[in-house]
Structure formats: structure tokens, C-alpha cells
Amino acid sequence: MTAVEKPDPADRRQSALRADPAAMQARLRRPHALMDAAGAWEWDVAAGRLTADARFAGLCGLDPVAAAGGLPTETFFTAIDPQDLMRVRLAIAGALNGVEVFSRDYRLTRDDGTQLWVAARARTYFDEAGNAVRIAGVLSDVTDQKRVQEQLRIAQSAGGIGTFEYSTGFGTADVTEQFCILLGLQPAEVLPVRTINSVVHPDDPPLLGHPGDQTPGPTARELRIRRADTGEERWLARRGENRQEGGAGGVRFIGVIYDVTEAKIAEQQLLELSEALAQRVEVKTQERDRVWNLTHDLFAIFAPDGLYQAVNPAWKTLLGYAEREVIGGQFDTFVVREDLAGIASQLRALATGASAPDFDCRMKTKDGAFKWINWTVIFNDGFYYATGRDITVRRQLEEQLRQSQKMEAIGQLTGGLAHDFNNMLTGVIGGIDIVKRRISQGRIDDLGRFMDTAMSSAQRAAALTQRLLAFARRQSLDSHAVMVNELLGSIEELLRRTLGEQVRLKTAFDAGAWPVLADANQLESAILNLAINSRDAMENGGMLTITTRNVTVATQTANTVGEVVPGDYVEIGIEDTGTGMPPEVLAKAFDPFYTTKPIGQGTGLGLSMVYGFVQQSKGHVSIDSRVGAGTRISIYLPRTTDQTEDEPIVQEQARGAGEAVLVVEDDPEVRVLVIEVLRELGYSTIEADSASNALHLLQSVDTLDLMVSDVGLPGMNGRQLAEIVRESHPDLPILFMTGYAPDAKVRGEFLAPGMQMIEKPFLVDALAARIREMLTR
């Protein structure tokens, strides 16, 4: 394209339009829902007049009618931020003195003080003498893009950004792995400057060592490279800052590079579009169709009934659907079913004629996969116009970040668990070792003290394991209907003793509180944990308030931890007047092994255990805390229509009378222990280490009074074994032992009539009492 162009019919038509401002205004205001983000403008250099459409006027804070009729050219600079004004004036001066393409991003400041970024793209037209006669172009709001660029700068490696550091006078530069990858070089920490510059396009300045890099301050450049590994030509952006190395020393350049090939292609397309718009205003719609066809974003037009009327070719390239396969279908036909609930509010808004900007959902591809799409839908002239951008990569990066955070939490959990268990095992192993030494020495007069130490440490380890299972929502819950008010009343005196004299306890129970479905023992433990946390937060005393009330929950709130299922709940509130928590502590309050207490004064599993128990009980938790204003934690447990049950009467333990008991346990130590207890109590025992061996033994057994079985057996588990045994012994009582059984998390769903469960580790007396009770029944 030459710098001098002869007048053509299109120029004559544009001159006619300039002579008729009303015609120009009507032409510039042609509505087009998919392209109304760009405002068109034209600068008549000879007349010193600026003509623009309503979109340009809106961005610059001008009167749209006056702008369409023509304004002094100085109006172009009125709203430009002072920091950018000189840069824009210089660019305009270049356009008036031979530079054909004008392209600048700058800030506009409106009368109300708000600021936005815009991109001005234009072309200069010259007469036969080479004088600039007019400049025509478009102005677009790029505020969101600028914000995204700033976020991407922080995200560096996750966004494919390579960093480097180079000091003038040196032959090498420090680089990152991503820097090497972008150039197609083998990853290294240091590279020769000669090697780096060797991949730069011959027509472009070097990446490092350019004379312009000698001046301290920020610097930015875009250049082409030919990748060292594939030879592919790519565009890179180089951004950084030159810093003076003290006194008269050299300059140290710290910067980043990243691939902007797609952006350059898009920029080129935009320049081509701007040129076409300036050359032929009367075919503006036709040029917009080019964008419709070439863009990688999804464009669609819907009728008022929600049916697709038109889609662009990107549907084929991105999702695999031909135009005929989409037109006539509904929007939700192509949305992944699981995402429909999440965008229900946007769909309802569209049904009323409102717009729905910026919502994400997964769109099904023709090959059965999906793409994450960010949608913006507007309603205009009786039709819906939608644009959808592929954000799958961004979503993948976010998922990688979440997985990284999960791995960090698992590492923290493992470390804390190992620390606490080592302490407890030291008490167990040390106590038993001392007892063995004393027995070998014949000194048995003081063995009880060391056995008590070992037993205490073992019980602490068992309690920690129970908390871990609660946190993981894998403990075995004995859930049934519980009257919350009665349970809280029964432990009120225990709470007062636990809180001490400095903390006052206040209760306010709703007399009509519904029954809830929960494990009463675990609920008591959760409330005690919360009360102890509140007491520790009130070092100088204070007030602890416990309340109950019936609530109907519809949606999740900002303070809710965990997922919420709409329904009826009973809320148990525990509120203190303690020190409260700052936001950074509040965000981690339910994390495992996270605690603000000194070492030795807490494991950090209290709140995580409460959260796990409530989640496993199909409830949820909310927390509200401010520094100096105390903390309120609310437990929401689901309402139940089941009837409450009376506590069973514990019968006095008695010896057996030779009843036959089958013991199935794969752990030899546990099996020996149970067999020994049963024999001491007078029972006849049959032992097996697996379900298959147990079935084999039963073929030669005539009488069987009870089966005691582990749940987690190798091969066939204990519950499956029970089903087979009951085919030949339909009324046989069965006692399950479990340390961890995912299938037995809710006992009411796991146990059949005549079956009971005891959790490992258990005391010998507790096992004997449970067996006697089952045989008596």
C-alpha cells in the first residue's frame, strides 16, 4: 500500500457525508449488538474538525449530537489523563507527519472522577502532495483487558511468563525455565547473550544489549523470534526496568518476556478492520461480518423464545458443531447438565429481557468433552446477542492452584499427625518397656503407675484417631433422633465446671426446637470442643451464650463453611465475648492442625473435627468473628421426623455359660485379645482370620450363639460375611468391630436387626458388657 492515495468513490461518498452532518450521525449510529464496544471517529485535518459516533462521545464524556455534527479537533485530547497526554500528542504528531497507522492505549478521566483505559486505532490519509488530510479510526474500552494484564503479570509462570536479569557489559544473563521454553532453548539458569539474541528475527532489534537499554527506567518492546527448536516464528513482548548499578556503574535490566503472537494477530485483524471502517463507512456491517467469521470467540443470536437464530464459524472450530446443528436448538441443550443450576439466575434474568454479563459454564463439545466458556448476553431490538470466550486454560490453572493448596494441607496434616502420635507412642512404648524391665528384675511393686501412663497415652492416641475420622467424615456415626434442648441440659453442669469461675454460661433454648438426626455422643463432644475454644479465647473471663432455634435455610451465606442443602434445621449457636479472630486466622479456622494456641496446648483438630462431624451428619457450620468483638459459631443439624428412643438399660456384667462365639479378625494381635477375653468370661470360641476361613469352619459347627467380626476383612468384608451366615443362622446376633470402615459411616444404614457395632480401640470391660447384653437379648 503506497503512502499517497488517489481519491476514490468511497472518499467522495465520505465527503458528502461530512457535508451532511445528519447523514453522518445516522450512519455512525447504526446499531450492531456484537460490535457496539468500538466508537468510530474521523479527524478532518484541513477543517480542524472531529466527527464521532455516540459510542465515542460516551467514552470521552462528550455530547453525542455535537460529536456527530463535528467539534474542534482539540476536543480529542480533552478527557485524556495528564500522564498520557504528551504520549498521545506525540503519536498524533507522527500521524500528521507521515506515519500512516496511529495506535495508542491511554487513560480517560471522566467528569465524575472515574477512569478507564481505551485503545485508539486509526489510519492517516494523505493527498498527492503527501500532506495529511484526514485520520479515521475507532476507539474501544479496554479497561478490563488492562486489569487482566495486571493480574497476569502477578501470575508469571502460571501464565507462561519467562523472567530474566542482565547487566550491561556481561556476556550472560540469568533466566528462568519458562524463558528458555519461550525461545525453544534447553532449560538453563544462565544463557549467553549471544545465544539469546541469535533467535531474534534479523529485522528486529536484539532482545538484550540494545543501545536503548542503557537509559534507566521502564522499557517495553515487542519483537519476533524464530524458535531454536522448531524454527517457528513467534512474537514476544519484552517488559522490564533498567536500574542504574550505583554511581557510574552499568545498567541492570530486570524483565519478563511472554508470547503475544495471538495478540499481534488480533491487533493486525483490528487494524485491518479499522482500515476498512475508515475506507468504507457504508459497508460497515459487511466488515463486521468479517469479525463474525474470523474471531475465535463464540457469537450467537437468539430469538425471544430462546432458540438459536445464527452462530458464527467459531462454533465449528471450538466446539465441533456445524451451523445447522446449532440453529433451532436451545441454549441449555449445549450446557453441561451439572452447570445448569449454577446459571439458573442468569437464565431467569434473560427471560425478563435483562442482560446477563460475565457468567461461566461448561459447553459440551461434539466429541463428548467440554469447554469452559465465559458468556456475556445482551438484549437489543427484540433479540439476544451473546459472545462466549474460551477460558478452559484459565480454569485449568485455577484447578491446579486448588490442587496445590490441597497438597499443602495434606502435608500439614501428616506432619501434625506424626508429631502428636510420636508423643503418644513414646508414652505407650516407654511405659511398657519400663514394666518389662521391672518384671525381669523382680521389681513389681510399682508397675501400676507405668501401666497407667501407657494406658493414658494409648487413650489419647485413640481420641486423636477419632478426631481424624471426624475431620475426614469417615467415623462410624450412631445417628438417631436427638432432642437438642434435652442434650444441652444434660451437659450444662459439665460445661459450667469446664468453663471455670471466670466465664459465665448463659442459655436461651427454643422450647419448640425440632428433633435432629445426629450421633448424641459426637454432638456432645463437638459442643464441648467449641466451649473449650471459647473459654481459651476469654483469658480474663467473659460470657458464653448457647442458643437453639428452628431455621429454614434456602441458600448459602458468606459465613457458611461447607455446602448447604436447603431445608429445615435446628441451629445451635455458641457465642463468646473473647478476643475474636482477624480475617487471615478466620480463613484457616477449620483447617486440620491449624491452631493459634502455644505448643502443647492443642492439636488444632478441634474445629476440623466439628466441621467433619456436622458435614457427615448432613448439616453445615457458619462462623462469624471480629477482633475484639468475640466469635459466634453456629451448627446446623437437619430436622428429622423420627421418634426419639430411650437409652438402653445397661445390665450387670455376668459370666458366660459356654455359649459358642465365632471370632473373625484378620489382625492376629486383636484376635488373640478378643479370644482371651471370651475364654476368661466362660465362652466357647471359634476363630478365623478371614471370611472364607470362617465359612469353611461353619460347615462343621452345629451350634453358634454369637458372631464377632471385624468390618474390614480382606476379600469379603464383615457385612457381606454376615449376610451369608444369616442364611443358615437367621437369628444369630452379630457384633461388628471397626477402626475405620467407609461403608459403615452411618450405623443405621449399615446394621440390620440383631446387629451392633463397637469401635476400636475398646476396653476389655466394654467388649464383655456388649457381648453379654447381646446374648441376654
Side-chain angles (χ1 to χ4, degrees):
M1 180 182 296
T2 60
V4 178
E5 296 184 357
K6 297 181 179 180
D8 59 14
D11 289 330
R12 288 195 293 273
R13 286 193 293 272
Q14 291 173 353
S15 298
L17 287 174
R18 288 195 295 272
D20 186 352
M24 172 63 79
Q25 180 180 354
R27 180 66 57 89
L28 291 175
R29 289 187 175 182
R30 287 182 179 177
H32 196 293
L34 293 177
M35 293 293 295
D36 63 359
W41 58 277
E42 183 172 336
W43 186 337
D44 188 329
V45 178
R49 303 292 290 177
L50 175 72
T51 306
D53 66 2
R55 178 58 178 167
F56 180 97
L59 290 172
C60 297
L62 303 175
D63 181 356
V65 176
L71 292 169
T73 54
E74 188 63 26
T75 307
F76 184 86
F77 305 99
T78 302
I80 299 178
D81 187 273
Q83 299 179 68
D84 301 329
L85 183 58
M86 181 57 66
R87 185 164 52 85
V88 177
R89 284 189 180 277
L90 290 173
I92 288 292
L96 295 174
N97 289 277
V99 179
E100 186 176 358
V101 176
F102 167 71
S103 176
R104 279 293 181 272
D105 294 355
Y106 54 87
R107 287 163 287 189
L108 294 178
T109 303
R110 297 180 174 177
D111 293 339
D112 60 2
T114 59
Q115 195 175 72
L116 68 155
W117 277 94
V118 296
R121 305 289 184 266
R123 181 187 172 197
T124 307
Y125 295 85
F126 303 93
D127 59 18
E128 295 182 356
N131 299 315
V133 295
R134 62 187 177 94
I135 305 174
V138 294
L139 189 71
S140 305
D141 185 345
V142 294
T143 306
D144 289 340
Q145 293 94 311
K146 289 292 183 180
R147 187 178 298 114
V148 170
Q149 289 173 3
E150 177 63 18
Q151 294 170 350
L152 289 176
R153 184 185 66 78
I154 299 171
Q156 290 194 358
S157 53
I161 298 175
T163 63
F164 65 91
E165 182 173 346
Y166 167 67
S167 295
T168 57
F170 288 83
T172 61
D174 296 331
V175 298
T176 62
E177 180 180 0
Q178 188 62 33
F179 182 97
C180 300
I181 292 173
L182 287 169
L183 299 184
L185 298 171
Q186 289 295 325
E189 296 181 357
V190 177
L191 284 176
V193 174
R194 182 176 63 256
T195 301
I196 295 173
N197 289 334
S198 68
V199 301
V200 178
H201 194 281
D203 296 335
D204 288 349
L207 199 156
L208 296 179
H210 189 271
D213 295 336
Q214 298 293 328
T215 305
T219 178
R221 184 184 305 151
E222 292 178 352
L223 50 92
R224 291 166 294 173
I225 66 163
R226 289 173 178 165
R227 289 180 58 92
D229 52 355
T230 64
E232 179 187 10
E233 184 172 295
R234 304 292 294 179
W235 275 95
L236 295 183
R238 193 199 71 169
R239 303 287 185 269
E241 182 176 3
N242 299 321
R243 298 181 179 178
Q244 188 70 43
E245 288 284 8
V251 175
R252 183 162 59 99
F253 184 20
I254 303 173
V256 301
I257 61 170
Y258 51 93
D259 193 302
V260 293
T261 306
E262 298 300 328
K264 295 296 289 186
I265 294 174
E267 181 181 352
Q268 183 61 34
Q269 291 174 345
L270 181 58
L271 289 174
E272 293 173 359
L273 174 62
S274 301
E275 178 182 348
L277 289 173
Q279 287 179 333
R280 298 174 298 167
V281 176
E282 70 279 3
V283 292
K284 188 175 182 180
T285 302
Q286 186 179 22
E287 294 301 327
R288 285 168 173 168
D289 289 342
R290 180 181 301 173
V291 177
W292 171 277
N293 293 324
L294 296 179
T295 182
H296 296 295
D297 294 340
L298 301 178
F299 284 179
I301 301 175
F302 299 92
D305 58 6
L307 297 179
Y308 284 101
Q309 297 296 298
V311 295
N312 69 330
W315 284 79
K316 177 66 175 178
T317 57
L318 189 61
L319 301 180
Y321 298 110
E323 181 180 4
R324 55 182 174 76
E325 295 176 293
V326 181
I327 293 177
Q330 289 279 359
F331 177 78
D332 54 11
T333 304
F334 300 91
V335 178
V336 173
R337 180 180 300 274
E338 290 77 10
D339 291 358
L340 288 174
I343 62 172
S345 59
Q346 286 85 355
L347 296 179
R348 287 194 297 270
L350 292 173
T352 64
S355 297
D358 195 23
F359 67 92
D360 300 345
C361 65
R362 288 174 296 174
M363 302 291 288
K364 293 180 285 189
T365 62
K366 192 172 182 179
D367 60 5
F370 66 84
K371 295 277 189 182
W372 275 102
I373 304 296
N374 174 261
W375 286 102
T376 293
V377 186
I378 62 173
F379 185 74
N380 186 39
D381 291 338
F383 287 89
Y384 294 98
Y385 298 88
T387 63
R389 175 156 296 176
D390 183 4
I391 58 169
T392 306
V393 174
R394 189 190 81 187
R395 283 283 187 163
Q396 290 171 345
L397 292 174
E398 292 172 351
E399 181 61 27
Q400 290 174 5
L401 176 60
R402 283 192 290 270
Q403 291 298 328
S404 175
Q405 291 171 336
K406 288 180 182 178
M407 293 303 296
E408 182 179 354
I410 291 173
Q412 185 180 17
L413 173 67
T414 305
L417 179 62
H419 172 271
D420 287 340
F421 262 113
N422 279 335
N423 287 339
M424 297 166 191
L425 288 175
T426 299
V428 174
I429 296 172
I432 294 175
D433 188 44
I434 291 176
V435 169
K436 289 176 65 179
R437 289 172 180 267
R438 292 290 180 91
I439 291 175
S440 66
Q441 297 168 358
R443 299 165 56 192
I444 61 174
D445 54 333
D446 194 25
L447 298 183
R449 179 161 62 94
F450 301 108
M451 293 302 296
D452 289 343
T453 298
M455 178 63 76
S456 175
S457 295
Q459 289 173 338
R460 286 172 56 209
L464 177 59
T465 302
Q466 190 63 32
R467 288 186 172 192
L468 284 170
L469 289 173
F471 161 71
R473 288 168 275 176
R474 294 296 187 272
Q475 62 183 332
S476 178
L477 294 182
D478 186 13
S479 299
H480 57 272
V482 176
M483 299 304 297
V484 174
N485 290 353
E486 294 179 7
L487 182 143
L488 292 172
S490 67
I491 64 171
E492 186 171 342
E493 184 58 34
L494 173 61
L495 286 171
R496 294 186 187 278
R497 292 198 304 269
T498 303
L499 295 173
E501 297 180 355
Q502 288 187 303
V503 178
R504 290 172 295 158
L505 177 63
K506 178 183 177 182
T507 60
F509 300 154
D510 182 351
W514 298 317
V516 299
L517 189 64
D519 185 316
N521 292 330
Q522 294 298 327
L523 179 56
E524 286 182 7
S525 178
I527 293 170
L528 282 171
N529 264 297
L530 295 176
I532 292 171
N533 279 352
S534 294
R535 179 200 65 189
D536 294 343
M538 297 183 286
E539 294 181 356
N540 299 320
M543 174 78 75
L544 178 67
T545 304
I546 301 180
T547 61
T548 63
R549 67 185 181 118
N550 297 332
V551 295
T552 299
V553 178
T555 58
Q556 187 163 337
T557 65
N559 298 328
T560 302
V561 182
E563 297 181 359
V564 174
V565 177
D568 292 335
Y569 294 85
V570 174
E571 177 193 1
I572 305 173
I574 296 91
E575 184 173 0
D576 63 56
T577 57
T579 56
M581 291 180 273
E584 63 272 15
V585 173
L586 186 63
K588 299 180 179 179
F590 289 93
D591 288 357
F593 287 103
Y594 177 78
T595 179
T596 57
K597 298 177 182 178
I599 295 176
Q601 296 187 20
T603 63
L605 272 175
L607 288 182
S608 60
M609 182 274 290
V610 172
Y611 170 76
F613 156 68
V614 175
Q615 284 282 296
Q616 191 175 346
S617 300
K618 301 180 181 179
H620 57 275
V621 181
S622 70
I623 182 170
D624 185 20
S625 183
R626 288 176 295 168
V627 175
T631 301
R632 177 183 176 86
I633 296 180
S634 296
I635 296 174
Y636 295 85
L637 294 173
R639 176 186 186 183
T640 183
T641 56
D642 295 348
Q643 297 298 314
T644 58
E645 300 176 359
D646 295 332
E647 290 293 327
I649 299 174
V650 179
Q651 299 180 356
E652 183 179 353
Q653 193 176 139
R655 293 184 57 81
E659 293 94 333
V661 180
L662 170 63
V663 178
V664 188
E665 169 62 61
D666 61 316
D667 189 298
E669 285 81 6
V670 177
R671 188 169 67 250
V672 167
L673 173 66
V674 175
I675 293 294
E676 185 63 25
V677 171
L678 292 172
R679 287 176 178 171
E680 285 187 0
L681 293 175
Y683 297 104
S684 173
T685 61
I686 308 166
E687 59 179 294
D689 60 0
S690 66
S692 58
N693 288 342
L695 293 174
H696 178 72
L697 290 171
L698 284 177
Q699 295 177 1
S700 58
V701 173
D702 296 327
T703 303
L704 188 62
D705 299 298
L706 174 70
M707 183 174 81
V708 180
S709 175
D710 186 17
V711 175
L713 296 172
M716 185 188 306
N717 63 40
R719 186 62 175 84
Q720 294 168 329
L721 172 63
E723 290 292 334
I724 296 174
V725 171
R726 279 204 164 177
E727 292 179 2
S728 56
H729 300 77
D731 298 322
L732 179 68
I734 298 175
L735 175 62
F736 290 110
M737 303 177 294
T738 180
Y740 164 63
D743 296 332
K745 289 184 293 184
V746 181
R747 296 186 191 180
E749 300 173 359
F750 182 81
L751 301 176
M755 297 180 183
Q756 291 194 29
M757 183 177 293
I758 186 169
E759 293 185 19
K760 300 176 184 176
F762 46 75
L763 295 175
V764 171
D765 288 344
L767 175 63
R770 185 65 64 88
I771 290 174
R772 185 70 261 165
E773 175 195 345
M774 294 184 70
L775 287 174
T776 302
R777 286 186 176 180

